Amino acid sequence: MEPKVIEWDGSHVPEELRSLPPGRYAIESVDRVGVLTEEEEAGILAGLTELDAGRGIPLADVVREIIRGGTSRR
C-alpha cells in the first residue's frame, strides 16, 4: 500500500484520512521521512524476491546468530 500524502490546514480532516479504514496509524511529516537510495531500494526488493522464493533464513536462526555474535550465513 502506497503511503497517503496529505496537505493539512491544521483544522479540517483531509479526504485522504477519511478514506482510510479503521486502525492505528503513525503520521510523520514528509519533510522528516528519509528517502532510500536506488541501491537500498534494489536491495530491499531483492530480499523480498528471495523471501517470496522461499530462500529466507528462519527467524529463530537469525536470532541465534545475533545472540552468538556470529556473522550471517549469506
Side-chain angles (χ1 to χ4, degrees):
M1 178 169 89
E2 289 291 316
K4 294 196 180 281
V5 177
I6 61 172
E7 296 287 331
W8 188 40
D9 63 12
S11 59
H12 298 93
V13 176
E15 182 59 38
E16 294 87 354
L17 290 179
R18 276 185 237 157
S19 67
L20 292 173
R24 296 178 66 198
Y25 294 90
I27 298 175
E28 184 174 356
S29 171
V30 172
D31 297 334
R32 294 180 48 201
V33 175
V35 177
L36 296 176
T37 65
E38 287 183 22
E39 293 82 15
E40 290 169 328
E41 185 171 348
I44 290 171
L45 292 174
L48 291 173
T49 299
E50 290 290 303
L51 290 173
D52 286 344
R55 293 187 292 265
I57 300 172
L59 178 59
D61 293 353
V62 173
V63 170
R64 269 192 296 280
E65 287 189 33
I66 290 170
I67 291 171
R68 253 191 2 222
T71 58
S72 175
R73 295 185 285 179
R74 296 193 181 237

